[in-house]
Amino acid sequence: MKTTAELRQTPPDFFPKKPTFEHYTTILTDEKIPLAQNLFNSIFVSLTRVAITLFTSSYAGFIFAKYHFKGKNLAFGIILIQIMIPFQVVMIPNYLLTVKLGLIDSLWALIIPAFIDAYGIFMMKQFIEAMPTELMDAARIDGASEFGIYSKIILPQMGPPLASLGIFTFMSTWNDYLWPLIVLTSPEKRTIPLLVVWFQTQHVSNQGLVLAASILTLLPIFIVYIFLQRWIVDQATSSAFK
């Protein structure tokens, strides 16, 4: 909210002497910046990945926590190994697979590779293991199906861990830069981090515009955290008691 002159002032002042929204106005009215479209792209990708991750992680965690089957320990061990593998190691195989699926320059290229979250499965499994199995047995006696047990018995008790995992997934997806840079080529398909970096290269001498653009990218994460921070505290508290 400082003027360009105040930003270059030495020594700098913490608070602006003449607050202005000129930098935000410039960004929001610049026809060369598809801000609305890029913002929609980031929101769509982030929310879709959150929804898919919460379902796959909670359902897989439920299976690993409450069922016994051949190869269970081996399968879960493979999932744990995936947590330790850096993304850079699987980046090229993921890219080749994305090319074969015809998803280059598509928002689905950011969503499909993230269908399964190894950390999310591990997190959900640890939480569900603490739930009494007697509840599931009682539901079976009452005629509930296995998916019904998951949806009506398990899920209602998983508010805090689901909210925590949702926030972590949203933040990592919203801030993801490397993978979108590789698979997205069209300006209208960019996500917000790509837009900000492009904007920095175009206005490297105008620090006010760059800072304003960065603030605009932070607002959605800030808003999500404000509304869901109670769930994170509940998750930490419940984990401590368990």
Side-chain angles (χ1 to χ4, degrees):
M1 295 178 65
K2 291 182 178 180
T3 62
T4 303
E6 284 186 79
L7 285 169
R8 296 174 179 174
Q9 177 182 317
T10 304
D13 292 324
F14 186 80
F15 294 102
K17 295 179 180 179
K18 298 179 180 179
T20 176
F21 288 97
E22 62 175 338
H23 301 303
Y24 295 98
T25 303
T26 301
I27 295 173
L28 295 174
T29 58
D30 192 340
E31 296 181 355
K32 298 180 181 179
I33 305 175
L35 179 62
Q37 182 62 47
N38 293 160
L39 183 62
F40 171 79
N41 294 343
S42 284
I43 293 175
F44 172 74
V45 172
S46 298
L47 293 182
T48 304
R49 281 184 58 171
V50 167
I52 293 174
T53 298
L54 292 184
F55 172 72
T56 57
S57 297
S58 60
Y59 199 48
F62 167 60
I63 293 173
F64 278 112
K66 296 300 183 181
Y67 292 91
H68 300 282
F69 51 90
K70 188 176 181 179
K72 170 183 173 180
N73 293 333
L74 176 61
F76 190 68
I78 294 175
I79 291 176
L80 294 182
I81 291 175
Q82 292 182 23
I83 299 177
M84 296 180 282
I85 298 178
F87 171 74
Q88 289 78 4
V89 174
V90 298
M91 184 169 58
I92 295 178
N94 277 348
Y95 179 78
L96 295 176
L97 182 60
T98 303
V99 171
K100 289 184 178 181
L101 293 175
L103 296 176
I104 293 297
D105 201 26
S106 169
L107 295 181
W108 289 104
L110 308 180
I111 298 172
I112 292 178
F115 270 12
I116 304 299
D117 186 342
Y119 171 76
I121 294 174
F122 172 74
M123 178 181 175
M124 295 296 107
K125 175 182 178 294
Q126 297 303 108
F127 188 89
I128 296 174
E129 279 183 340
M131 295 183 182
T133 307
E134 290 76 13
L135 290 176
M136 297 173 52
D137 295 335
R140 290 191 183 100
I141 294 174
D142 288 338
S145 64
E146 298 304 309
F147 187 81
I149 293 174
Y150 160 75
S151 60
K152 298 179 181 179
I153 303 297
I154 301 298
L155 276 185
Q157 303 182 65
M158 297 180 61
L162 286 175
S164 299
L165 179 61
I167 292 175
F168 299 149
T169 303
F170 184 90
M171 291 176 61
S172 63
T173 304
W174 185 271
N175 293 323
D176 192 12
Y177 172 75
L178 181 58
W179 183 242
L181 178 66
I182 295 173
V183 298
L184 300 179
T185 57
S186 304
E188 64 273 8
K189 295 293 181 63
R190 290 188 185 122
T191 54
I192 288 297
L194 296 182
L195 175 64
V196 172
V197 174
W198 173 83
F199 195 77
Q200 289 175 337
T201 61
Q202 299 296 314
H203 301 277
V204 65
S205 61
N206 195 328
Q207 190 179 14
L209 287 177
V210 174
L211 292 174
S214 300
I215 289 295
L216 289 176
T217 66
L218 290 174
L219 283 178
I221 294 180
F222 180 74
I223 293 172
V224 168
Y225 182 79
I226 287 296
F227 281 100
L228 297 180
Q229 61 177 326
R230 179 177 66 86
W231 293 100
I232 296 182
V233 175
D234 289 347
Q235 162 69 3
T237 304
S238 61
S239 298
F241 278 115
K242 287 175 183 177

